[in-house]
């Protein structure tokens, strides 16, 4: 074939490729920049050629800020070159349709026939797949320089618990190392391996996920305190939406533990934004059984249907008085107004006092005088009788919890031993009380 014919055929082939072989240059500085801020705001800026429709961009991307974008004043191309320019900028719209829903933060700059795209993707989007989709949308008419970083995965952790320890796997938030997380979980009990041959630890446990490490430390710390109440449990912690974590536990409780009580305590202990799901089945404990209570952090014994804390300090008068005062200062015993019946919320306080009294009286040989006191309102004789009945109510409740009856007395003082003024409600509230005096 003659050289001249080859040149002619090459020119015809170039023409056949059509006007999409390259973006027509207009000789001006037309270009479009679209930025996505960390707060999710999308802004367009630049002077785009007449072939580009800012109105269509606004329709395709509701909420985009177009206040800094303008149409270039250069005249529109005509003929085949103008059609090529229109089609090329339509591809810009197609590319932005791909880019913007995936970009967490970054910028796409279209100018001079080239796209420069840099930024970080939202979680769940692949950099490789996004590059391919953008290039497909641009076709051959735009060159592209694409630098995208993938978002770190959300923090998700699975924990399996048995008496042999906790085995954890998953992704921790950045700022919380695997060894730090494992240190917050309970140590395995002494004994053999479990069915998998594991004695606790991390299997496939990594870091670098998204999430609040401080919230995770708190959640794992409370989980570590709670898990010994289970014979076995499957746990999932996740923060798939920033600031909104979940902690789900399902398993078999050790005898004497109540799922509703434990779940309520755990929910109150976590940071705002975290939710708790706790499902556990258990069996009643036998009389005299002991447990480590996650809610109070104390070792307790079941006595006549009540879980009483155990003590091991030398039971002297001063030591018993200090501990009793601390219990009543934290949660005073309450009564139904005008009656000797205890308020419903008094039961946990009585359990704590009974555990202390069993140690100080049953084991320590001390005596206990229970004094009832009222404020000054009402008839003195009636107040005296009411205070005596209330003191006796407390004594009987302690006896029902296994405290020696012969080591206790109950007496009413009415309003004769006020510890505050009766001219204010605050003072009267302090005077309405139960006092404990230890002897021996």
């Amino acid at each position: 074939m003659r050289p001249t014919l080859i040149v002619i055929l090459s020119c015809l082939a170039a023409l056949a490729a059509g006007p999409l072989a390259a973006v027509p240059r207009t000789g001006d500085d037309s270009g479009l920049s679209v930025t996505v801020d960390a707060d999710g705001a999308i802004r367009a800026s630049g002077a785009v050629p007449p072939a580009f429709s800012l109105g269509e961009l606004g329709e395709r991307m509701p909420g985009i800020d177009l206040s800094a974008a303008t149409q270039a004043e250069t005249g529109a191309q005509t003929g085949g070159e103008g059609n090529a320019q229109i089609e090329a900028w339509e591809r810009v719209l197609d590319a932005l349709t791909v880019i913007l829903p995936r970009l967490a933060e970054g910028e796409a700059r279209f100018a001079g026939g080239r796209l420069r795209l840099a930024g970080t993707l939202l979680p769940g989007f692949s950099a490789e797949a996004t590059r391919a989709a953008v290039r497909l949308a641009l076709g051959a008419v735009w060159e592209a320089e694409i630098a995208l970083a993938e978002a770190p995965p959300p923090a998700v952790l699975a924990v399996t618990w048995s008496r042999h320890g906790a085995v954890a796997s998953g992704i921790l938030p950045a700022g919380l190392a695997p060894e730090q997380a494992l240190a917050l979980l309970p140590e395995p009990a002494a004994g053999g391996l479990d069915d998998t041959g594991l004695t606790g630890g991390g299997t496939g446990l990594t870091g670098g996920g998204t999430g609040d490490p401080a919230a995770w430390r708190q959640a794992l710390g409370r989980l570590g305190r709670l898990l010994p109440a289970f014979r076995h449990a499957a746990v999932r912690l996740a923060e798939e939406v920033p600031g909104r974590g979940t902690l789900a536990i399902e398993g078999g409780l050790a005898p004497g533990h109540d799922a509703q009580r434990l779940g309520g305590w755990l929910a109150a202990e976590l940071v705002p934004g975290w939710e708790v799901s706790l499902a556990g089945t258990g069996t009643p404990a036998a009389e005299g059984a002991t447990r480590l209570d996650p809610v109070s952090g104390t070792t307790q014994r079941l006595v006549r249907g009540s879980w009483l804390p155990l003590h091991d300090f030398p039971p002297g008068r001063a030591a018993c008085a200090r501990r009793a005062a601390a219990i009543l200062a934290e949660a005073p015993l309450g009564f139904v107004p005008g009656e000797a019946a205890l308020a419903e919320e008094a039961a946990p306080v009585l359990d704590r006092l009974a555990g202390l009294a069993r140690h100080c009286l049953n084991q320590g040989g001390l005596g206990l005088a229970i004094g009832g006191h009222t404020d000054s309102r009402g008839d003195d004789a009636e107040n005296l009788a009411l205070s005596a009945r209330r003191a006796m109510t407390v004594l009987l409740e302690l006896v029902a919890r296994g405290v020696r009856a012969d080591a206790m007395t109950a007496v009413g003082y009415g309003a004769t031993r006020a510890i505050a003024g009766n001219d204010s409600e605050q003072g009267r509230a302090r005077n309405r009380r139960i006092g404990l005096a230890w002897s021996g």
Side-chain angles (χ1 to χ4, degrees), residues 208-250:
T210 58
D212 180 357
W216 276 72
R217 287 189 187 93
Q218 184 165 348
L220 286 168
R222 301 305 186 270
L223 177 63
R225 182 167 158 178
L226 183 67
L227 282 178
F230 285 83
R231 291 178 287 108
H232 57 82
V235 184
R236 184 179 186 272
L237 294 91
E239 193 176 350
E240 294 166 314
V241 176
R244 293 174 57 189
T246 58
L247 199 170
I249 309 173
E250 185 173 358

Side-chain angles (χ1 to χ4, degrees), residues 38-311:
D39 60 2
I42 304 175
R43 299 177 176 85
S45 61
V48 298
F52 186 81
S53 171
L54 287 175
E56 188 175 352
L57 176 60
E59 291 177 2
R60 288 210 196 180
M61 301 294 165
I64 189 171
D65 183 355
L66 299 174
S67 60
T70 61
Q71 299 279 174
E73 296 181 357
T74 54
Q77 301 292 329
T78 60
E81 188 173 1
N83 292 334
Q85 191 176 81
I86 292 173
E87 186 166 352
W89 282 92
E90 285 178 349
R91 287 184 175 271
V92 169
L93 292 172
D94 293 338
L96 287 173
T97 303
V98 174
I99 294 168
L100 296 185
R102 305 183 184 206
L103 201 61
E105 185 176 9
E107 180 181 21
R109 168 74 177 167
F110 298 87
R114 179 182 295 274
L115 162 66
R116 292 178 173 85
L117 172 61
T120 302
L121 293 169
L122 290 166
F125 288 106
S126 159
E128 181 179 358
T130 300
R131 282 192 295 268
V134 171
R135 289 194 169 104
L136 180 63
L138 292 174
V141 298
W142 289 88
E143 297 178 3
E145 296 178 7
I146 301 176
L148 293 173
E150 293 182 359
V156 178
L157 181 66
V159 179
T160 301
W161 161 258
S162 71
R163 65 185 183 87
H164 303 292
V167 179
S169 62
I171 303 171
L172 295 167
L176 179 60
E179 58 272 18
Q180 294 173 322
L182 291 174
L184 295 171
L185 298 177
E187 293 289 335
L193 305 179
D194 62 15
D195 294 339
T196 65
L198 296 172
T199 59
T203 304
L205 189 59
T206 61
T210 58
D212 180 357
W216 276 72
R217 287 189 187 93
Q218 184 165 348
L220 286 168
R222 301 305 186 270
L223 177 63
R225 182 167 158 178
L226 183 67
L227 282 178
F230 285 83
R231 291 178 287 108
H232 57 82
V235 184
R236 184 179 186 272
L237 294 91
E239 193 176 350
E240 294 166 314
V241 176
R244 293 174 57 189
T246 58
L247 199 170
I249 309 173
E250 185 173 358
L253 288 164
H257 288 286
D258 176 73
Q260 184 175 0
R261 177 172 179 266
L262 297 180
W265 169 80
L266 184 58
E269 289 288 305
L270 300 186
V271 300
W274 278 65
E275 296 183 357
V276 168
S277 171
L278 193 153
T281 57
T283 58
E287 176 72 12
T290 61
R291 72 178 186 184
L292 177 60
D293 179 38
V295 176
S296 64
T298 62
T299 300
Q300 301 173 337
R301 172 171 286 125
L302 183 62
V303 178
R304 301 180 185 179
S306 299
W307 287 98
L308 310 182
L310 298 178
H311 297 272

Side-chain angles (χ1 to χ4, degrees), residues 324-350:
I327 293 172
L328 292 176
E330 182 179 335
L333 283 171
F335 292 85
V336 175
E339 299 181 18
L342 283 156
E344 185 176 349
E345 60 271 16
V349 186
L350 286 166

